[in-house]
Amino acid sequence: MGLPFLDSFSAAAGRGVWHADELGLADAQVVATGHAALDAELPGGGWPVGAMTELLQGAPEAHVWRLLLPALAQAVETRGGPVVLIGAPYEPCGPSLAAQGLPVEALMWIKSDAPAARLWACEQALRCADVAAVLAWLPQARVGELRRLQLAAAQHDVMLFVCRPESAARGASPARLRLQVERCEADASQIELHILKRRGPPLSSPVMLPARNERMTALLAAARLRRKLRLQQQGTVPAGDTATSATVVRIDAWKGGPNALDRIAVVA
């Protein structure tokens, strides 16, 4: 004789259980990536909020802005606070980012070559209530240190992206989501996203995205043309022709308390 109670319980339980051969649902808030093809492969359809997303790259800044700009701009608009850049290898190009929706005054660039200082700054930024998102380059971070950052992101409900070298793919990581980002060898106008870790089955083929935003390509071409015409008219290259960029805070030799980042001027 059947057991209706157990049968009904099993059916109800099955509806709430994630199966490894299915793409999982997000168990927290997500922010759309701005790339439909990528959203379709991520649990909940976007970057997780309150969790770490790990980006593995051959070059330290390859395609990061192309990949993250839509979500970072949305996070700034929603939360009103800055995006904190920690250990960025190059100075952000303010006009380029602003043209794609991320105003330069919403950036805080923290420079430091010391791994411990970068980790400290990252943890302090995650504790700041007004911070919209944190983007950190931590090539030497260990698993225990990353786990601490993952917990801080979860406790304070902040979107956290950590950039590490491709070699880190061989090791374990507490990141909720891990992606390997690289240029497509067959087509330089495309980038390949290999999803190494997600709540779902392995992805057999990479997600392909255009390497450059179409609107940004047109704007850069127009800017180059205007500059060329201006130089031709002037006959000289103007000295000190630099663009306004993000607020820069050096922390190499600076020490503060547990909430020291709250006392730093976040925007210019």
Side-chain angles (χ1 to χ4, degrees), residues 38-57:
L38 180 57
D39 286 342
E41 301 296 343
L42 299 182
W47 302 119
V49 177
M52 179 193 301
T53 296
E54 192 174 9
L55 305 176
L56 307 180
Q57 313 149 279

Side-chain angles (χ1 to χ4, degrees), residues 18-26 40-44 176-178 195-204:
W18 167 64
H19 300 275
D21 60 348
E22 300 174 352
L23 184 62
L25 299 175
E41 301 296 343
L42 299 182
R176 178 83 58 84
L177 183 64
R178 291 185 99 186
I195 301 179
L196 307 181
K197 180 181 178 181
R198 64 172 180 171
R199 192 178 185 186
L203 197 61
S204 58

Side-chain angles (χ1 to χ4, degrees), residues 106-117:
L107 292 178
M108 178 181 182
W109 180 25
I110 298 177
K111 297 180 64 176
S112 178
D113 294 327

